[in-house]
Amino acid sequence: MSELSLPTRPLNPPAMAPGGDDVAAAARGDRRAFERVYREHADRVFALCVRMLGDRVAAEEATQDVFVRVWEKLPGFRGDAAFGTWLHRVAVSVVLTRRKSAGIRDGRIAEDDALEQAPSRPEAVGDRLDLEGAIAALPRGARTVFVLHDVQGFTHEEIGEQLGISPGGSKAQLHRARMLLRAALTR
């Protein structure tokens, strides 16, 4: 059989990936398996939502929305990508949809306004090292791009597709985020 005529299969089908048995069973409607999938992945999804939304209460709601969406879409999960990758994309999509429905466009504000939002002086020495707090204080657009690029590892092209902006716009937002973080963490 020639190389071109070999059937193609995903490299990581759901049943063979770590936790894949639960993913496959949940895709068939097994609620207990889905609960195990939820418990395995909920903390990472919540952390992503907190970073992107900058609000723990909103992140809790978004995390629940993510897993409702996953339950609905799981029967269509083909295993072309790792389940964690697919789940991450669902989470990003849910967060971006929540922000759009809340009337938040892209979070861009004037540079002067953004600098005013950065903490002017930390209250204690430990505050200077509070990266999570500094990320949460970023303007929404800059925070989203920072999390997607520097934390999650997306390219500017992928971020542009997800957010509906150009790769150059993504680079500009990332630069703004880094400058604001530097200013917030060195004061």
Side-chain angles (χ1 to χ4, degrees):
M1 190 178 272
S2 75
E3 190 173 312
L4 294 175
S5 63
L6 292 174
T8 58
R9 276 195 217 148
L11 296 176
N12 232 354
M16 297 179 73
D21 292 338
D22 284 336
V23 171
R28 292 188 304 271
D30 183 334
R31 291 179 186 271
R32 288 186 181 153
F34 184 76
E35 183 178 338
R36 289 188 295 272
V37 169
Y38 172 83
R39 288 180 190 200
E40 182 178 344
H41 296 279
D43 289 342
R44 282 181 290 205
V45 169
F46 175 73
L48 172 66
C49 292
V50 166
R51 287 186 181 117
M52 289 186 70
L53 294 168
D55 178 352
R56 294 184 73 80
V57 173
E60 288 173 5
E61 294 171 5
T63 300
Q64 294 304 314
D65 289 348
V66 167
F67 282 99
V68 168
R69 175 85 52 88
V70 167
W71 176 254
E72 294 168 351
K73 303 281 185 188
L74 195 54
F77 174 62
R78 298 184 316 256
D80 294 338
F83 176 75
T85 303
W86 180 78
L87 176 62
H88 181 273
R89 291 204 182 269
V90 170
V92 168
S93 175
V94 166
V95 169
L96 294 176
T97 300
R98 286 177 64 88
R99 287 180 43 189
K100 283 181 186 176
S101 68
I104 302 166
R105 291 198 178 138
D106 62 6
R108 291 187 200 144
I109 56 177
E111 188 72 23
D112 294 340
D113 293 339
L115 290 173
E116 288 175 9
Q117 288 184 2
S120 61
R121 177 178 287 178
E123 294 177 16
V125 174
D127 290 345
R128 282 186 248 147
L129 302 176
D130 185 7
L131 182 59
E132 290 294 327
I135 291 171
L138 290 172
R140 290 178 196 247
R143 179 176 61 237
T144 299
V145 171
F146 176 81
V147 169
L148 291 175
H149 187 274
D150 284 1
V151 177
Q152 301 297 323
F154 284 95
T155 66
H156 289 291
E157 289 75 19
E158 292 170 326
I159 293 168
E161 280 181 30
Q162 291 179 26
L163 300 179
I165 61 176
S166 69
S170 174
K171 290 175 185 178
Q173 289 285 352
L174 180 61
H175 177 73
R176 172 189 284 161
R178 288 176 176 169
M179 297 308 290
L180 291 171
L181 285 173
R182 182 177 296 140
L185 294 173
T186 57
R187 290 182 187 193

